[in-house]
Amino acid sequence: DQQVKQNSPSLSVQEGRISILNCDYTNSMFDYFLWYKKYPAEGPTFLISISSIKDKNEDGRFTVFLNKSAKHLSLHIVPSQPGDSAVYFCAANDSGGGADGLTFGKGTHLIIQP
Amino acid sequence: DVKVTQSSRYLVKRTGEKVFLECVQDMDHENMFWYRQDPGLGLRLIYFSYDVKMKEKGDIPEGYSVSREKKERFSLILESASTNQTSMYLCASSLDRAQETQYFGPGTRLLVL
């Protein structure tokens, strides 16, 4: 049973436009959410995170929005650049559960077109 | 900067061989993790450790074991490699139980023939 879902396997966006990646979760105990970016043959790189006490966190071109009632979060990238082309993983954690790893979605392949 | 290193980037082994994957982190992190990544399946947790000599099973521990003799080093062992263990293996670490952000190594792509 997938607790973290990324329903779009791929997304194509024109350079300069906004990229919006979506993620849904089912476990109401999750209280910390992260986005990772992964290039082929490399490990995931941490991008941005958000605690459940917030509904928005911004870092440069990246903003993560959290809607707890809908159990939904999204990553906005503005403006999109060619180097943003990668697979993006959404991840969630139940911090009260101790260090038991993150639960990852299956990823969304973002393609930025020139 | 957190640095997580893995002993090999690419590895080719034969069915039945014992395989060791090594991971080292240099930031004195308490927690270390092993994941595998497969197309269409995302990252799945194999084992994790929150202290030296401690280990906990993740979601898919079958066919694997781990060792954490020193705080900075976490080893993944495939006792008898099988073709369905061909995958990308990713090691990660995090500071402690209050810090959930995990930092990943570059990965080891393992091919079992």
Side-chain angles (χ1 to χ4, degrees):
Chain A
D1 183 28
Q2 245 188 300
Q3 297 187 70
V4 177
K5 297 178 186 178
Q6 294 177 256
N7 291 320
S8 299
S10 66
L11 177 67
S12 185
V13 175
Q14 202 167 8
E15 183 179 356
R17 298 286 186 102
I18 182 171
S19 295
I20 301 175
L21 296 99
N22 293 303
C23 178
D24 297 293
Y25 61 97
T26 57
N27 187 343
S28 57
M29 298 301 292
F30 287 148
D31 58 0
Y32 189 70
F33 304 90
L34 309 90
W35 283 95
Y36 284 85
K37 174 182 179 179
K38 187 181 184 299
Y39 293 120
E42 292 185 15
T45 303
F46 169 70
L47 264 182
I48 193 168
S49 62
I50 188 167
S51 163
S52 60
I53 61 173
K54 293 185 173 182
D55 54 20
K56 177 183 174 181
N57 189 25
E58 193 172 349
D59 183 3
R61 294 187 299 116
F62 303 92
T63 303
V64 56
F65 295 92
L66 175 63
N67 182 334
K68 287 187 290 295
S69 60
K71 293 192 177 68
H72 177 84
L73 66 154
S74 60
L75 174 69
H76 292 211
I77 306 173
V78 180
S80 300
Q81 298 174 354
D84 296 331
S85 294
V87 177
Y88 289 78
F89 290 99
C90 170
N93 182 257
D94 167 14
S95 60
D100 55 357
L102 297 171
T103 302
F104 284 84
K106 294 185 178 181
T108 296
H109 185 194
L110 176 64
I111 302 161
I112 304 302
Q113 296 187 334
Chain B
D1 268 1
V2 176
K3 187 129 189 218
V4 180
T5 57
Q6 295 182 229
S7 51
S8 304
R9 293 299 303 271
Y10 301 94
L11 214 48
V12 180
K13 296 291 180 181
R14 295 204 175 275
T15 302
E17 278 193 76
K18 192 168 186 176
V19 182
F20 293 87
L21 303 182
E22 304 285 337
C23 175
V24 177
Q25 48 91 7
D26 67 356
M27 288 302 292
D28 203 34
H29 282 181
E30 289 186 6
N31 305 326
M32 296 188 76
F33 308 84
W34 275 106
Y35 294 87
R36 62 178 282 178
Q37 184 203 356
D38 301 288
L41 296 177
L43 278 73
R44 294 180 292 166
L45 182 64
I46 304 171
Y47 266 97
F48 65 97
S49 167
Y50 53 83
D51 202 353
V52 176
K53 296 196 186 292
M54 304 298 287
K55 60 184 179 184
E56 294 285 343
K57 291 180 180 179
D59 299 319
I60 50 164
E62 296 78 18
Y64 303 94
S65 62
V66 290
S67 171
R68 192 154 181 215
E69 297 296 317
K70 293 184 178 181
K71 191 175 185 179
E72 68 270 19
R73 188 179 297 269
F74 191 35
S75 303
L76 180 69
I77 303 153
L78 286 66
E79 297 290 343
S80 176
S82 63
T83 54
N84 63 14
Q85 292 179 310
T86 291
S87 187
M88 170 74 121
Y89 289 89
L90 294 159
C91 175
S93 71
S94 67
L95 181 61
D96 54 34
R97 289 194 177 210
Q99 167 53 269
E100 299 94 341
T101 301
Q102 295 180 17
Y103 298 91
F104 284 82
T108 296
R109 187 165 291 281
L110 172 67
L111 172 63
V112 182
L113 299 173

